[in-house]
Amino acid sequence: MDKRIALLDSGTGHCKSLSTGRIIAFLSLFVVSALFTTGLHFETSNFQARIQHVPINAQQILRKCAALKVRPGPPEGFQHRAVSDRYDFGTPSTLITNARIWTGEHNGTEILFGDLLLDNGIIKAVGYVPEDLLSTTTNLTIVDAQGAWVTPGLVDLHSHVGMLSAPLLAGVIDVNSPKGPILPWLRSIDGFNTHDESIRLAMAGGITTAQVLPGSSNAIGGQAFMMKLRKTPERSPSSMILEPPHTLNGTDNGPNLTPRWRHMKQACGENLIRHGTRMDAVWSFRAAYEEARKIKAAQDKYCEDVEAGTWNSREDFPESLQWEMLVDVLRGRVKISNHCYEAVDLDNIVRLTNEFHFPIASFHHASEAWLVPDVLKRTWGGTPAAAIFATNHRYKRESYRGSEYAARVLADNNIPVVMKSDHPVLNSRYLLYEAQQAHYFGLPYNLALASVTSVPATIAGLDHRIGFIRQGADADIVLWDSHPLHLGATSVGIWIDGIAQIPIPSKAGENAGLVDIGKCKEGQTWLNLPQVPVWDEERQKAVHWDGLPPLEPISQRKQVVFVNVKELWIKGERGIEEINLSDDQQKGQTIVAIKDGHIVCAGITSTCESVVAELETSIEFIDLHNGTISPGLMSYGSPLGLEEIAGEPSTGNGPLHDSFLADVPSILGDAGGLVRAVDALQFSTRNALTAYRAGVTSATSSLFKRTLFDGASPSFSGLSTTFRTGSRHILDKGALIQEVAALHVSIGRPHPLASKSGKKIISISEQIAILRRLLLDPGSQETLTGQWFKKASQGTIPLVIEVHSADIMASLLLLKKEVQRAHGSALRLIFAGASEAHILAEEIGEADVGVIINPARPYPGEWDQRRILPGPPLSNDTQAVTLIRNGVLVALGVPEAWAARNARFDMAWASLESHGKIDQRQAYALVTTNLDRMLGVEDVDLDLVAYDGGSVFDMSSKVAAVISSQRGMVDIL
Ligand SMILES: *[C@@H]1O[C@H](CO)[C@@H](O)[C@H](O)[C@H]1NC(C)=O
Ligand SMILES: *[C@@H]1O[C@H](CO)[C@@H](O)[C@H](O)[C@H]1NC(C)=O
Ligand SMILES: *[C@@H]1O[C@H](CO)[C@@H](O)[C@H](O)[C@H]1NC(C)=O
């Protein structure tokens, strides 16, 4: 710089002088500098004063400088556009009539009853559609909503759809670059797989827009894009982007283009460990932002000079393709989604924003945001939103203090709440379920609906197009079969850019197009907002205890009288049975009296008077407010009770040796290396106690484990055990329900990342060959393997096989026959996982094989799981319906321990999406008696759970107490 001469430095070269003709224009700034470095001595002050040496592209530079100051957003007059840029020519217009329209306006409280006109990809009228508007609309389709709810299309602010595809294959994992930690120049769009099966599935859940984020393994993972989840005629990723930034394809210098918001992913904490510690990560941020700050300062100086007419910079406008994104961040033109869990990490990033002066749009996961609201409020440029999960917590240390009450606490602190999926961590298709749970745990209904629509849309800077039902917005609309905050709410109509998406294009095996949704949801109840419990005490306690409130029972009583009990269900001879508490003629409160953990009287007050009088004075009365007492649920399938934090090996059982690969220590004296889960049981884990408090009183756990990035644990997962989730330790009375429940094996194809990570793998053919050998010839009875495989082959213990592929299940059915022929005994075979079991429903039924569906709602995450039966609105039947119809004994499982608590929702959902083909009693059996029967759990008369304010099926109820006959007491929770 210093070597260059101040030739043009006269201070008179304003923009308008460019057209005066007095100027000597040079072909390029390079020529300017080359000429005048050698021409220094020709300079005179006169010469300087008279002649302005301005570059030929000066106009362009000045425009560029002016553009730097423009805030992104909708261009002027946007709301009056006649046609959407996303409109597909030939799309008919749609008039939706008689709808209950949740618009998102007025803080999510506005509800209109009326009509909606979608035309040219735009919402043309809301509530009332003027006649003259209708008369000018051609090609009109009319949809009578018959009073059903309509919401804006859902917006998933945190998704890896297209980046971590379904099914996951080694060739389509494009989520994290190994070249970090600072990569603001990468763009998620460059890795977007349009063939990801979950695009269609998410859309079926009402998700019309998703923010496609790079992963969180890097401090700055790259640029993100808001994508509409509709296949376009062009079939390209580009055509799915909503408001692509003009820089994306180099059209950024258009003179009249208002810049569009850009989006970027940042992360902090544990996931950056591959690049060093937290201290290293923060330095990497600071170094990067310092680089950007210098470039921004140089640009600002440059622009200040040229705008003042000082064309003395003979260099190009200071720019860097690598750093331009961060410069835009510093100019406040980027919506940052920052993955950040803990107080320390949130504090670090907030400090960074104040050091370099840039805003954060949203903190994601943000497990501790609810505990440090003041930290968030210190963020430079305004308080970010918190984008969180409802109940997916404790899966790693950073999420240990995450809470179901967080959404409400954040809202109470005026922090915008977003519920997100982190798809495929949670299946984006069930994003609305996150809002339903947040509502259940105390988030007001208006904010719950807003958390998956208007709030994420606003946070992304796209509220002029999505997240609201307002005139001029994009025509992204979902019609629901119930109030959207009811569990199991299902889309019956979806429009994206005004284009009808239902029926959703079907795949082989599905029967889309014939979907008869909404049966059994007739009546006003389903249209009304679901009532939910009050959690004020629990919430205050959670905050008081820094996110780790004690979960043990508040007290234990021998004698309790439950008052206002609407229903009493017990496990009887024929499964779940209801006990009549009063016939219609009888008047009076219904009560259930408990003595030493046993029901001593159940009926109306007068019937039980004498029994109650006999009880001691230390009796406690609990009003259940029309609640229900019913059997405790059982959790199956996760490592519940075998680990505290899934991502922390030091809190669990540790890795299993893989006997199929022969690396079992020889000192075990058993080549099979068969081990017992009971030996590794740990009690009072937060997941187990949380499940207990949600009515899940027992669990059967094996050493099997499946994770997103590692797949399934070794083939031999040992002997499972059944235990009480509420016990303090294994020696506690009643803690152990069944020392050994079943023998577990898993058979499946290698995980797509197995070969990349150097993990040893074994073929399907070998896996089945080993199983055949062990069942036909169990070997030495001196070893556990020999003993238990003998029992399995004789049918004295169930053999549970974790398997998803229908082809592998078919091979196993053949193997079952072969073993039975050889031994003359019946194998008690159970398929767990079983994503493709519906394909073999008849054969599985005939073979008398039980099926534990896990996860309860299918997702084609791996190749072996790809042929799911998705359920409504994609298919009439669900997997459970198909299996039950074919006489199969069915149960539901959960893959991860945090989800054990949601068994009650899983079972209710199974009934809700069955069109009445699975009634409540059958649904109840899916997580109780059917598991007992399959696993041979003998102590059927275990715990009863008292629900306050409704039944186990209602969102209005919560668990008040657990009645334990075996332990002779009642736990008050
Ligand atoms: C009317 O809509 C149909 C699809 O329903 C489409 O095929 C046709 O091209 C449309 N006609 C016009 C004139 O846009
Ligand atoms: C929005 O609604 C919530 C919950 O109903 C309420 O607490 C909050 O004050 C409202 N905000 C505004 C700006 O009205
Ligand atoms: C560049 O992107 C814009 C959308 O932002 C689009 O209108 C334009 O056609 C694209 N240009 C090319 C050459 O692809």
Side-chain angles (χ1 to χ4, degrees), residues 785-809:
T785 304
Q787 287 163 20
W788 288 97
F789 268 91
K790 185 163 182 205
K791 287 185 190 178
S793 66
Q794 291 171 340
T796 52
I797 184 168
L799 172 63
V800 180
I801 303 185
E802 299 281 343
V803 56
H804 283 287
S805 155
D807 290 311
I808 300 176
M809 282 187 258

Side-chain angles (χ1 to χ4, degrees), residues 107 109 411-412 414 444 446-447:
N107 197 24
T109 61
D412 285 349
N414 293 318
N446 52 318
L447 302 186

Side-chain angles (χ1 to χ4, degrees), residues 378-511:
R378 281 207 320 268
T379 309
W380 192 92
T383 308
I388 59 175
F389 293 129
T391 54
N392 182 5
H393 306 299
R394 297 177 291 281
Y395 48 88
K396 60 157 134 175
R397 193 193 67 91
E398 288 180 330
S399 65
Y400 197 51
R401 287 162 200 265
S403 170
E404 58 272 51
Y405 310 115
R408 170 62 183 270
V409 175
L410 288 162
D412 285 349
N413 281 285
N414 293 318
I415 293 171
V417 176
V418 172
M419 305 309 295
K420 49 90 190 174
S421 73
D422 192 10
H423 178 91
V425 171
L426 297 184
N427 182 351
S428 180
R429 180 177 173 191
Y430 304 121
L431 178 65
L432 190 56
Y433 178 38
E434 293 300 290
Q436 290 158 355
Q437 292 174 82
H439 178 239
Y440 175 72
F441 287 110
L443 187 65
Y445 85 95
N446 52 318
L447 302 186
L449 286 174
S451 74
V452 289
T453 52
S454 53
V455 178
T458 306
I459 293 302
L462 288 164
D463 46 320
H464 54 290
R465 293 191 72 133
I466 57 173
F468 291 85
I469 297 186
R470 50 169 68 143
Q471 206 180 317
D474 286 13
D476 298 349
I477 300 290
V478 186
L479 179 64
W480 300 97
D481 70 346
S482 72
H483 189 292
L485 290 177
H486 272 294
L487 190 69
T490 301
S491 59
V492 291
I494 301 171
W495 291 262
I496 304 183
D497 300 315
I499 304 165
Q501 305 291 321
I502 282 188
I504 295 162
S506 64
K507 298 213 338 171
E510 296 174 10
N511 47 357

Side-chain angles (χ1 to χ4, degrees), residues 153-280:
L154 308 187
V155 180
D156 193 347
L157 198 63
H158 189 136
S159 178
H160 303 293
V161 66
M163 315 238 65
L164 274 172
S165 296
L168 200 63
L169 294 167
V172 293
I173 297 171
D174 251 305
V175 75
N176 282 308
S177 164
K179 300 180 180 175
I182 299 292
L183 303 162
W185 42 85
L186 299 191
R187 309 186 293 192
S188 67
I189 190 70
D190 295 331
F192 187 87
N193 169 26
T194 53
H195 306 299
D196 183 348
E197 178 64 8
S198 50
I199 297 172
R200 188 180 74 109
L201 295 172
M203 195 254 282
I207 323 300
T208 53
T209 309
Q211 176 166 226
V212 179
L213 291 164
S216 51
S217 297
N218 294 304
I220 300 181
Q223 298 165 32
F225 294 85
M226 298 291 290
M227 314 268 291
K228 289 265 183 117
L229 299 188
R230 161 173 79 83
K231 293 259 166 134
T232 60
E234 194 184 284
R235 306 184 198 202
S236 67
S238 291
S239 59
M240 292 170 74
I241 305 175
L242 177 60
E243 297 210 340
H246 305 305
T247 45
L248 189 60
N249 63 6
T251 50
D252 55 332
N253 284 329
N256 300 315
L257 294 176
T258 313
R260 288 164 167 176
W261 286 107
R262 302 174 74 187
H263 309 272
M264 192 178 82
K265 174 76 179 285
Q266 291 193 158
C268 49
E270 279 178 35
N271 286 15
L272 303 183
I273 208 90
R274 70 204 71 185
H275 306 296
T277 64
R278 277 184 167 75
M279 296 184 288
D280 292 301

